[in-house]
Amino acid sequence: MLALMKSLMNSVFGKIVVAVIVFGMAFWGVDQVFAQLRGGLGANLAQAGARSVDAADLDARVENVLRRMNATASEPISKEQALDQGIVDEVFAIEKARLTALGFAERVGVKTSPERVVATLRTMDAFKNPLTGELDMNTYREVLRQNGLSESAFEQQVADDLTLQGLQAAASGAVSAPQVLVGLDALYFGETRDASWFVFRPLADAAPYDPAAEELQAYYNDNLARLRQPERRSIDLVSLSAEDFMAGVQVTDQEIATIYEAAKSGRFSEPDQRTFAELYFASRDDARAAFGLLAGGADPSSVPGTVSTELRTGRADSVEDPLLREAMFGAGRQSGALFGPSERDGRWLVARLVSVQPGAVRPLETVADQIRTELALERAQVVFTEKLEVLETSISAGSDIDAIAAEIGVPVMSFAAVDSNGFTERGQRVMALINAQEAFTQAFAAGQGEITTQFEGGTAVYVASTRTIAPAATPSFETIRDDVKAALVSEKRQSEAQRIVTALTDKLKAGETTLAAEAEKAGASIDTLPQPISRVSAEQMGLPAPITNAIFRGRSGDAVSFPAGPDEVIILQIGNVTPPAPEVIAEIGGEVAAKLTGDLRTDLDAALNGEIERSIKLRTNEAALTAYKSTIRTPQ
C-alpha cells in the first residue's frame, strides 16, 4: 500500500486520489471500522484557506492506514515503526494535498450539496438494512457511534470526498480529442513502411593503426585533464547486523515444536475451502423474501422464486466480488452466514455459507527450518542491540577500527583504493562500500585513520575508516603509455569507421549505389521485412527497437546506420512509405481518439494542479508536527 501511495505522490491530484481511497468512503465496507478520534493534541499542523488539520485528525488518518495495512500484512507494524519508516510523513503529505485542494474548491465555489451527500449515504452497504436494502438511520447512527464519529463529522468527510472527485472531474471529465488531431494521429500510426538492411564491418579491410611516439606524446599532452586521476582512498569497513550473530544463538527442537503447535492452525495451514450457495432472483422483493427464509434456516434448494441456483466450493481467491468474498470468507464467518440482496447484471443475488472445510496442516518437518530461522533471528536481534551499545562505547572511547571489530566480534573488511563514487583505478565499482552509504561518504571526507560515526543502511550498521589516501594526480606519460596508446587507437578507429559509414549512407541516399551492391562488396546478406509494417504492428512483431526506430526515422529512400556489435553497424534503407487506407483509419480511429483524450486530460489535470499550487498558500506548523511525533514515541 505504501508503494502505491508513493507512486501517486508526484502531484496534488495524485495525492487527492490516495486521500479519497484511504480516508474517505472506501473505508465504509461491511466489516471495516474507523479509529476513534483523539483530542487535546494541540495546535493545527497545516492550514489552507479556512480548512485545517490538527494532531487528532492526523492521528486518526495514521491509525486508519495502519489498520488497513496490518489487516493483510504478514508482520503487522506499530505506529512507532510507521514513524520510522516514513509512513506518518507520507500520510501528512497526502493530508496537506487534500487541504490545498479543498481550500481551492472553496475559493472557486465548488461545493457538494446536502442532497448529494444523502444520495451517497444511500449507496453505502454498511448503513443498509439487509432485508430492505435501504438506508437505515438506526444502523447509520449505531455504526457511527461504535466508531466514535458524529453524524456531522462523517457527513463533512463524505462531502469533502465528493468535492475532490467533482473538482477533478470538472477539470477534464468532458474532454474529448478534436477530430483533426485524431485524423493526424491515425495517419501517423496507420502508415506502413518496408525496409532492407545488412550488417557492415567498416574497418574489415583497414590496416592496424600504430601511432608514432611523437603522436602518443602529443595526445597525452592534449588530454592531461582527461587523464587526471581523482583522489582515491583505501577504506576499512565494519558491518554488523542481526544475521551476523545468528550462529551464536541456540534454538532447541522442543521450542520449534511448541511454536508449531501454537501456530499450525493459522500460519502453517493451507487456506480453507468453503461451500456456499448463490441464489439469483428476478426481483428485489423475491430476493428479500428468500433472505428471510434463509435467515430462518431454510434449505437453499427449497427456496421458491429462484432464477438459478449454484453451489460453489473454493478458496477465497476464487471469488472476484470483494463484498461476496468478505461475507463468505471473512474472519469469524460460520456456516449460515448470509449475503445480499445485491444486484448483479439485472438479477438479485442472495448467498448463504453452507460449510467450511479447514485447509491441510503442513507437517512440522516442512516448516521446522523456517521456525528455527525466525526464532534465531529474533534472539540474534537482542544480541545485535547489545553489540550496538558496545560499538557506541568503543567509538566514544576513540578505539581504532581493528579494536572495534575485535570488541564486537566481526571482521574488518579492507578494500582497494576507490574514488568518491566507489570505483577502483580499473573501473570496477565496489558495491560493499556503496551499500555502506553515509559511512563511506563520511570516510571519504575524514582524515586518515579517523573513525566515522555509525550509520544504518538497510538492516546493517556500518563504521568506516580511511587506511590510505592517494591524492588526485595525472600519471606520468611512461606510467600510462599503453593506456594512452589504446585510447588514441580506439579514437582513430572510431573516427575512420564513422567516415566510411557516413560516405556509404550518403551514396545510398543520393542513388549513386544500391543496397544490394554494397552488401555484395561487404560479403554480407540482405535482410528484408516479410511485409510492410506500421508503428503498431512493428511493436506486435517484436522487432528490435533500433531497427523500428530507424525504419520510421526518415523518408522513403533514406539510409541510416546504427551499431550492431563490436566493429559492426547495420546499414538500413527505407523502402516504400504507404499512407493508410480509409478503412484502416476508421479501424484505429477509436483507439487513437481514446489515447489522445487521455493525454489531453492528463495535461488539463496538470494545469489545474499548477493553478491550485499557485492560488492556495499552505501553511504548516513544523513544531506542532514534531510535538505530535514525540507523542508516538512517548508512552501515553
Side-chain angles (χ1 to χ4, degrees), residues 293-601:
L293 292 173
L294 292 171
D299 188 320
S301 62
S302 67
V303 174
T306 59
V307 174
S308 66
T309 300
E310 180 181 358
L311 200 62
R312 297 180 57 184
T313 299
R315 296 177 177 177
D317 56 12
S318 67
V319 180
E320 295 183 2
D321 187 314
L323 296 178
L324 176 60
R325 181 171 60 246
E326 179 57 36
M328 298 293 101
F329 290 87
R333 298 293 193 269
Q334 301 293 330
S335 298
L338 296 173
F339 169 77
S342 180
E343 188 176 11
R344 297 290 189 277
D345 298 326
R347 300 186 301 171
W348 291 85
L349 169 66
V350 175
R352 179 182 177 183
L353 181 57
V354 177
S355 63
V356 178
Q357 300 89 45
V361 178
R362 284 178 281 172
L364 172 59
E365 54 269 21
T366 66
V367 297
D369 288 344
Q370 175 187 345
I371 298 173
R372 186 184 304 276
T373 300
E374 292 173 354
L375 189 53
L377 183 59
E378 181 180 318
R379 292 177 178 175
Q381 187 67 43
V382 176
V383 179
F384 175 57
T385 303
E386 295 171 351
K387 294 294 185 179
L388 289 180
E389 295 178 359
V390 175
L391 174 62
E392 185 173 354
T393 301
S394 298
I395 293 175
S396 300
S399 302
D400 62 32
I401 197 160
D402 291 313
I404 290 174
E407 186 78 15
I408 296 171
V410 294
V412 175
M413 295 179 285
S414 297
F415 298 94
V418 296
D419 62 19
S420 59
N421 294 313
F423 287 96
T424 67
E425 187 176 0
R426 307 309 298 177
Q428 296 174 321
R429 200 172 196 195
V430 182
M431 293 310 300
L433 290 175
I434 299 303
N435 293 338
Q437 301 175 18
E438 291 297 327
F440 170 59
T441 302
Q442 193 179 92
F444 224 89
Q448 186 170 342
E450 291 183 8
I451 304 294
T452 68
T453 52
Q454 63 186 56
F455 290 98
E456 292 185 15
T459 60
V461 171
Y462 299 95
V463 174
S465 176
T466 296
R467 187 171 67 257
T468 61
I469 301 176
T474 301
S476 66
F477 174 70
E478 293 302 328
T479 303
I480 58 170
R481 179 188 181 93
D482 291 343
D483 291 336
V484 171
K485 180 177 180 179
L488 176 58
V489 169
S490 175
E491 192 173 294
K492 291 289 187 180
R493 285 178 59 83
Q494 290 178 16
S495 177
E496 178 63 10
Q498 185 59 51
R499 185 193 66 78
I500 294 172
V501 169
T502 300
L504 174 56
T505 54
D506 286 347
K507 288 173 61 179
L508 287 168
K509 185 175 181 180
E512 298 173 5
T513 186
T514 65
L515 195 73
E518 295 301 326
E520 184 178 356
K521 288 180 186 179
S525 60
I526 292 180
D527 288 318
T528 302
L529 290 173
Q531 61 187 33
I533 62 170
S534 68
R535 288 175 171 85
V536 175
S537 64
E539 183 177 346
Q540 295 171 346
M541 288 175 63
L543 280 177
I547 292 180
T548 301
N549 293 337
I551 291 173
F552 291 100
R553 194 162 63 205
R555 301 178 179 180
S556 178
D558 282 357
V560 295
S561 65
F562 50 91
D567 298 325
E568 293 182 339
V569 296
I570 286 180
I571 305 297
L572 180 145
Q573 189 164 33
I574 302 170
N576 295 323
V577 177
T578 307
E583 57 269 21
V584 174
I585 294 177
E587 180 181 348
I588 67 176
E591 184 178 347
V592 169
K595 180 181 182 303
L596 279 174
T597 298
D599 292 343
L600 289 171
R601 288 176 177 173

Side-chain angles (χ1 to χ4, degrees), residues 174-182 592-598 600:
V175 172
S176 60
Q179 282 303 308
V180 63
L181 292 181
V182 173
V592 169
K595 180 181 182 303
L596 279 174
T597 298
L600 289 171

Side-chain angles (χ1 to χ4, degrees), residues 270-295:
E270 299 295 331
D272 62 27
Q273 289 196 340
R274 304 194 175 192
T275 299
F276 58 95
E278 290 185 349
L279 289 73
Y280 286 92
F281 300 88
S283 69
R284 178 189 289 183
D285 289 341
D286 288 345
R288 289 175 182 169
F291 188 97
L293 292 173
L294 292 171

